[in-house]
Amino acid sequence: MSTVETSRSGSVAVVRFGEPPVNSLGLATRQALAAAISAAIADPGVSAIVLAGRNGTFSAGADIKEFATGGMITAPNLHDVIALVAGSPKPIVAAIEGTCLGGGLELALGAHYRVAVATAKVGLPEVKLGLLPGAGGTQRLPRLIGVENALNVILSGEPVPAKLFAGSALFDALVNEDPAGAATTLAAAKAGELAGKAPPRARDRSAAGPLVEPLLGFARTTAGAAYAAYPAPLKIIDALEAAATQSFEDGLATERQLFAELMVTPVSRALRHAFFAERAASKIPDVPESTPVRPIASAAIIGAGTMGTGIAINFLNAGIPVFLLEVGKEALDKGVARIADTYAGQVKKGRLKPADAEARGKLLTPTLSYDDIGGADIVIEAVFEDMAIKEKVFTTLDAVMKPGAILASNTSTLDLDRIAAVTKRPGDVVGTHFFSPANIMKLLEVVRGKATAPDVLATTMKLARTLKKTAVVSGVCDGFIGNRMLEQYLRQALFLVDEGADPAAIDAACEKFGFAMGPFRVSDLAGNDIGWHIRKRRALEHPDVVYSKIADKLCELGRFGQKTGGGWYDYKPGDRNAYPSKVVADLIAAHRQAIGVTPRKVSSREIVDRLVFALVNEGAHILAEGIAQRASDIDIVYLTGYGFPVFRGGPMCYADEIGLYAVALRMRELARNPYGDPGFWTPAPLIERLAASGGSFNSAGARP
Ligand code: 3HC
Ligand code: NAI
């Protein structure tokens, strides 16, 4: 609920505004703020005004939720409030603490003076939403700190400590505490000094300078190349140019026009979707945020392989002691060495202080005995992907772990409910599906078993935040959300090779679409043997599923990817580039001949449609089955774990943007292709239903 309160300190009116949790400037706040400022201006007993946020923070800016409804333009809009502040005949001082971002900073820039806590975070992060500061930020900030500094602040979007601007006209005073108190003192002094004269305004300063044009020219070239898919950076440069070359009023009009143009771009819609999707992912409808959590002060990891060691590093980085358990000394030593190497590498690159690396290393206790780990608050199993081995490990964990310990599995495909069933405490069992490299990748799929207790889920979600992961809840199924969808994507990628598209052409089309890497480069990086192993198991479980055999043939040659010096591409030692492989070209040609396919030219559009719509169709099944809680969770899985282009908002957002009617139509078109799995392109019933009703995945009611 929005509240604005005015108090008096002598002749200074202190106006405090707030809308928890971040004091965004929605309509109710704007209305109350405008009324309070107008009242203070009109009050003959008031000589100056202090503008401060409630709850220890100034403001996170415009209420982003209003962007979708158009509520942001309803009067008084942010421009109206800022104009009221800037035009006040009595001096207004902004008192800044906590965060002061976007429209919040623009409001402060409208004030005549600013006092900030030195550590307050200030910035204009609109670019991260595909926008530019649209309430005067591009016009006032360069007038206060110069065009070059303003360019850095606005293009990066990064919040920085106020003290970085010490000595600039942005802040009149930096304090360690009580900014409202310091602002009140300043306000009273300025009222006396001005003695009724108009207070100074940012708009009256100039941003012009001889170096501005070459600077902006250079910025245009760089931004055009670095952010080709993003329209905001170039428009930000245009707006800054207007600040330096046009009158304030004209510059403001230019900014407004550019802001309006950006607001309707699919890129901005996608980035705003991603902002809310990331925050929604942490919420579980039937597990309220008030659910008590279990303390996690120590952890044990079973298996010191690729994943076990990466997972251990996450805990060590968070200051949580870790027991690392292996079956044999050799494997244990190798795992410990891998962790030490990772830290040594970070120290060498200057990313970690040697003392911190040492302190983290000391939190690690390698062991070969289950006797050591029983007291840990959570144990994460990361042994071979083999149900019999996992069942054995969990039987032992059930016997040795203390009551209340969380028993987690890092399995990527196996049935968590089966694993839980071998214990006498299935409620304590949860899946924690980290992604490789586990110490780097942001995504964590938290797998909710049939019996997983609510407090175990709540604790795991909180732990994810401690480990700096983005957690998404998934139900139990083969591959969970991400890998289950990926299977369909990879099946299409391999069918495309069969039909005539070369791996390099498929990768290039995907990368042009915006994927960080195409499917073949990713497979070479992750290891082609992983998929081979999974395909062999699935072929036994689902013998009816149609697959291209080309990837199996590649693996039969031992071409597992970068680690073996060759996969879909050739690799040279010490060189990360992928080179075309004659062996693979010959293998593919022979394979096409063996299956009787005459290769055809496949367009980039077909490649992208088939790969992305394969994800979308499986995503729709996953949503309908309740494996994912909401469509936006699927988007977050793909944005944070699979390199899906952020500017497209994730596969479900992308499909919504195209329109599900058009998506279903295209799938039916693709179904006419006689090659591959004949049932593949049957649109999921959820797509058909939403297409018929004009609905979308991410709108309310997308779930059956
Ligand atoms: N509008 C609406 N809701 C917002 C918001 C905003 N500007 N900023 C945060 N929220 C909401 C979040 O969605 C979340 O809601 P939930 O509890 O329902 O999930 C809640 O506030 C708390 O947010 P976080 O979980 O992100 O809390 P943190 O403490 O981790 O971070 C923050 C706080 C640094 C302020 C971070 O929320 C943030 O960066 N917010 C966005 C800031 C931003 O982009 N401002 C520019 C807005 S655009 C603008 O001002 C246009 C203008 O130029 C015209
Ligand atoms: P890995 O083969 O690198 O490591 C497994 C380790 O477990 C080996 O060091 C092995 O000695 C040890 N181990 C085997 N049986 C054991 C037992 N009974 N007790 C203790 N240790 C035992 O395998 P990786 O890649 O680390 O995978 C581990 C798990 O993580 C698997 O379930 C896998 O599916 C999953 N996973 C793997 C990902 C990857 O990209 N490698 C990504 C996400 C999940």
Side-chain angles (χ1 to χ4, degrees):
M1 211 190 62
S2 158
T3 46
V4 175
E5 273 177 8
T6 304
S7 60
R8 281 284 285 275
S9 173
S11 67
V12 178
V14 180
V15 178
R16 285 188 177 273
F17 64 97
E19 179 158 358
V22 295
N23 294 354
S24 59
L25 295 162
L27 179 60
T29 302
R30 297 196 304 268
Q31 280 169 335
L33 198 51
I37 293 165
S38 300
I41 292 172
D43 186 339
V46 169
S47 65
I49 301 164
V50 165
L51 206 50
R54 290 166 65 91
N55 317 311
T57 189
F58 192 74
S59 169
D63 180 348
I64 305 167
K65 288 192 287 299
E66 285 187 343
F67 293 1
T69 60
M72 54 173 299
I73 51 174
T74 307
N77 58 40
L78 206 44
H79 280 277
D80 299 331
V81 178
I82 295 172
L84 179 67
V85 169
S88 163
K90 299 175 182 176
I92 298 187
V93 185
I96 295 165
E97 60 186 327
T99 48
C100 179
L101 302 175
L105 180 57
E106 291 173 297
L107 175 63
L109 295 176
H112 310 111
Y113 305 97
R114 285 156 296 277
V115 171
V117 170
T119 53
K121 289 283 177 67
V122 298
L124 291 169
E126 285 86 346
V127 69
K128 295 184 180 182
L129 302 171
L131 297 170
L132 51 74
T138 64
Q139 305 304 301
R140 289 192 176 91
L141 190 65
R143 285 176 159 81
L144 291 167
I145 63 171
V147 172
E148 186 172 2
N149 289 330
L151 189 66
N152 289 335
V153 170
I154 302 174
L155 271 189
S156 78
E158 279 309 311
V160 294
K163 63 181 173 212
L164 281 194
F165 299 102
S168 78
L170 182 52
F171 296 117
D172 298 278
L174 290 168
V175 295
N176 291 325
E177 55 184 12
D178 190 19
T184 305
T185 309
L186 182 72
K190 291 296 177 187
E193 269 174 38
L194 290 164
K197 285 205 301 283
R201 299 176 302 178
R203 61 175 289 166
D204 298 328
R205 301 167 63 96
S206 169
L211 297 178
V212 168
E213 278 306 327
L215 171 78
L216 294 181
F218 176 71
R220 256 188 203 104
T221 314
T222 326
Y227 313 106
Y230 293 84
L234 286 177
K235 291 203 188 296
I236 286 171
I237 297 167
D238 291 347
L240 284 167
E241 183 173 42
T245 57
Q246 299 176 359
S247 70
F248 180 77
E249 291 303 342
D250 288 350
L252 213 54
T254 302
E255 177 197 86
R256 248 181 143 140
Q257 171 64 28
L258 296 171
F259 181 81
E261 285 169 20
L262 288 171
M263 184 61 89
V264 295
T265 58
V267 171
S268 178
R269 274 197 293 275
L271 294 174
R272 283 180 270 140
H273 166 74
F275 176 85
F276 286 116
E278 190 170 350
R279 282 150 184 87
S282 65
K283 298 180 175 68
I284 310 173
D286 61 335
V287 180
E289 283 178 27
S290 56
T291 306
V293 294
R294 303 182 189 183
I296 302 289
S298 60
I301 315 277
I302 314 297
T306 311
M307 295 307 288
T309 49
I311 296 168
I313 291 172
N314 285 298
F315 282 91
L316 300 175
N317 289 350
I320 300 174
V322 175
F323 294 95
L324 185 63
L325 185 145
E326 257 293 344
V327 269
K329 181 156 179 353
E330 199 184 320
L332 186 61
D333 290 347
K334 245 172 93 178
V336 172
R338 194 175 305 132
I339 294 173
D341 284 352
T342 304
Y343 283 136
Q346 288 176 3
V347 169
K348 204 170 153 202
K349 286 182 194 142
R351 292 193 192 143
L352 189 67
K353 291 192 191 125
D356 290 339
E358 200 186 326
R360 290 178 198 188
K362 280 194 181 138
L363 294 173
L364 181 72
T365 310
T367 179
L368 295 170
S369 167
Y370 277 91
D371 293 344
D372 290 338
I373 68 165
D377 295 319
I378 184 169
V379 54
I380 299 180
E381 164 278 310
V383 304
F384 298 137
E385 186 76 341
D386 179 310
M387 183 54 95
I389 302 179
K390 300 229 188 238
E391 284 180 342
K392 218 170 132 213
V393 168
F394 271 80
T395 306
T396 312
L397 292 177
D398 194 23
V400 304
M401 298 309 294
K402 70 177 180 188
I406 293 179
L407 314 184
S409 172
N410 189 51
T411 179
S412 39
T413 52
L414 300 176
D415 182 348
L416 185 80
D417 291 328
R418 245 181 89 182
I419 295 174
V422 304
T423 73
K424 290 185 211 64
R425 37 176 149 170
D428 290 343
V429 177
V430 68
T432 47
H433 184 216
F434 288 83
F435 285 69
S436 184
N439 52 318
I440 290 171
M441 295 293 289
K442 286 275 289 172
L443 179 62
L444 176 69
E445 279 181 328
V446 173
V447 184
R448 180 180 191 168
K450 268 205 300 273
T452 306
D455 68 328
V456 169
L457 264 182
T459 307
T460 311
M461 297 303 278
K462 179 162 181 249
L463 175 66
R465 276 196 297 279
T466 308
L467 302 183
K468 299 200 167 67
K469 299 288 169 191
T470 302
V472 173
V473 175
S474 170
V476 175
C477 66
D478 192 344
F480 311 123
I481 297 173
N483 283 345
R484 175 168 155 186
M485 288 164 66
L486 190 74
E487 187 196 351
Q488 305 309 330
Y489 168 93
L490 291 177
R491 279 178 73 205
Q492 278 305 317
L494 298 178
F495 286 147
L496 281 163
V497 174
D498 288 358
E499 289 174 65
D502 289 331
I506 298 171
D507 282 349
C510 288
E511 285 157 24
K512 187 147 181 267
F513 175 77
F515 272 101
M517 265 192 221
F520 297 97
R521 288 220 289 142
V522 171
S523 293
D524 272 0
L525 189 66
N528 295 315
D529 48 327
I530 297 182
W532 193 25
H533 179 72
I534 295 171
R535 280 193 303 278
K536 282 182 192 165
R537 176 176 63 74
R538 285 190 180 140
L540 293 176
E541 289 172 6
H542 308 283
D544 48 321
V545 175
V546 185
Y547 276 97
S548 158
K549 300 287 181 289
I550 182 64
D552 295 349
K553 289 182 181 172
L554 184 84
C555 287
E556 282 157 18
L557 296 181
R559 295 185 66 98
F560 294 160
Q562 286 194 13
K563 61 186 174 189
T564 57
W568 294 103
Y569 299 92
D570 284 340
Y571 298 92
K572 297 175 186 167
D575 175 354
R576 289 190 170 192
N577 292 318
Y579 295 94
S581 164
K582 166 104 176 54
V583 176
V584 174
D586 290 347
L587 182 78
I588 291 172
H591 167 73
R592 286 175 186 150
Q593 210 169 25
I595 57 174
V597 170
T598 307
R600 67 180 171 90
K601 171 131 188 51
V602 185
S603 69
S604 294
R605 175 174 175 238
E606 181 178 342
I607 292 170
V608 168
D609 282 357
R610 284 174 61 176
L611 295 184
V612 177
F613 292 160
L615 292 176
V616 170
N617 209 29
E618 196 61 23
H621 285 299
I622 282 172
L623 191 58
E625 290 167 26
I627 296 294
Q629 304 185 110
R630 46 183 90 80
S632 65
D633 281 7
I634 298 176
D635 287 333
I636 287 297
V637 165
Y638 265 76
L639 294 178
T640 57
Y642 293 84
F644 197 92
V646 178
F647 63 86
R648 298 194 190 273
M652 311 308 269
C653 175
Y654 173 71
D656 281 349
E657 187 67 39
I658 292 173
L660 296 183
Y661 183 85
V663 170
L665 205 65
R666 179 71 173 136
M667 286 186 181
R668 280 192 282 274
E669 222 172 272
L670 292 171
R672 285 188 221 125
N673 177 359
Y675 188 77
D677 178 348
F680 195 101
W681 290 115
T682 307
L686 179 60
I687 295 184
E688 292 285 28
R689 184 169 70 72
L690 290 170
S693 65
S696 64
F697 289 130
N698 279 295
S699 65
R703 289 278 291 280

